[in-house]
Amino acid sequence: MNAGVVLGPEAPAGLVVRGLVVQRGGSTIVNGVDLLAPPGEVTVLLGPNGAGKTTLLESLSGRIPASRGSVRIGGRDVLRSSRVARARLGLAHVEQGRTVFRDLTVEENLRVAARTDELNDAYTLFPELRPRSRVAAGALSGGEQQLLVLARAMLGRPQILLIDEMSLGLAPVVVRRLLPAVSTLAAQGVAVLLVEQYAALALSIGTTAMVLFRGQIVLHSYAVELRHQTDRLHQAYLGGVDHSSQAKELA
């Protein structure tokens, strides 16, 4: 049951998912998920380990196939489209593990993704990368590598950005440096879908938030409300469907 989610008949801009089902090894991992990630907003996806969050993002980016449902980018259904086709429509996926080209310098990593020779936007967003531009990415700290991954994603000029646990293995103080950059990207009109283990930090920059439990959305509400309603979050993490969630007319 997708608590609190009402999708209207007209497809809005950004990312719209309806009735998504994803199976792996004969098991249903994502079961009938509806969600909307609008342009200019950070939509937060929370949930316990094993809930299906990574599988959901991988199906949205086309890394793994979905069994049924619809995935719309700017009104176009891409459920059967390739990963490359989705990327061409403006979808970018920052996966777990800080996937940098370790033997290339910071600048070379950025140029791989940049659509032009101009890298100033990346250095403006993350000024700490500029003095490291000639350093091999593999020599950066974990936090610096994640900054590089986000900067590289930004240079691709995405319309939709999926971010999967960018805080993995990082201290909360480093995550606090990363999150404002995510807000900046959203402020530039990007639709951000953020999967994050640090719920309180993620909710501090989110507009709306959902909790996924065993492949289903069990809670959907405004992020600012959930920041002060830890009992509702705790219940959702345990699998309780929150019937009090405020319905959203996502149309």
Side-chain angles (χ1 to χ4, degrees):
M1 177 177 181
N2 293 316
V5 180
V6 181
L7 293 173
E10 298 299 325
L15 175 69
V16 181
V17 180
R18 301 175 190 262
L20 190 69
V21 176
V22 185
Q23 296 179 321
R24 271 183 160 172
S27 298
T28 299
I29 308 301
V30 175
N31 189 8
V33 163
D34 293 342
L35 67 83
L36 168 66
E41 296 184 8
V42 177
T43 302
V44 177
L45 181 63
L46 305 170
N49 291 336
K53 302 185 298 296
T54 293
T55 296
L56 174 58
L57 262 59
E58 288 179 340
S59 69
L60 296 179
S61 67
R63 181 167 183 173
I64 61 174
S67 301
R68 61 180 181 272
S70 67
V71 177
R72 293 186 176 273
I73 299 175
R76 177 175 175 177
D77 193 350
V78 298
L79 187 73
R80 305 303 175 197
S81 299
S82 69
R83 193 175 187 183
V84 171
R86 299 182 200 208
R88 287 174 177 165
L89 288 172
L91 188 146
H93 185 186
V94 174
E95 302 176 50
Q96 291 183 7
R98 297 186 287 279
T99 51
V100 298
F101 299 105
R102 298 181 62 84
D103 294 332
L104 300 183
T105 67
V106 167
E107 182 172 319
E108 288 168 340
N109 267 268
L110 294 175
R111 291 198 182 281
V112 166
R115 294 190 175 183
T116 69
D117 291 334
E118 184 56 65
L119 302 181
N120 281 338
D121 286 349
Y123 291 135
T124 298
L125 184 61
F126 299 118
E128 51 266 73
L129 290 180
R130 190 183 292 275
R132 309 283 275 165
S133 62
R134 303 298 182 184
V135 176
L140 300 179
S141 68
E144 288 173 330
Q145 288 184 13
Q146 196 59 275
L147 291 176
L148 177 57
V149 169
L150 288 175
R152 197 173 61 194
M154 180 203 69
L155 288 174
R157 300 290 186 265
Q159 296 181 33
I160 299 164
L161 181 59
L162 313 178
I163 304 177
D164 190 4
E165 297 280 16
M166 68 178 183
S167 66
L168 195 64
L170 301 178
V173 66
V174 179
V175 180
R176 290 188 184 95
R177 169 64 188 96
L178 295 168
L179 289 177
V182 176
S183 294
T184 298
L185 292 173
Q188 294 173 355
V190 179
V192 178
L193 180 58
L194 174 65
V195 170
E196 184 49 61
Q197 61 178 329
Y198 292 113
L201 292 177
L203 291 173
S204 72
I205 66 165
T207 303
T208 58
M210 296 165 288
V211 175
L212 190 72
F213 182 83
R214 293 182 180 175
Q216 295 183 304
I217 301 294
V218 296
L219 171 62
H220 184 260
S221 188
Y222 292 109
V224 67
E225 294 178 355
L226 292 182
R227 286 169 59 189
H228 306 290
Q229 298 174 352
T230 55
D231 287 348
R232 290 177 67 197
L233 270 180
H234 181 69
Q235 178 190 25
Y237 268 69
L238 295 177
V241 176
D242 185 6
H243 298 287
S244 68
S245 293
Q246 181 172 354
K248 309 225 178 353
E249 185 63 34
L250 305 182

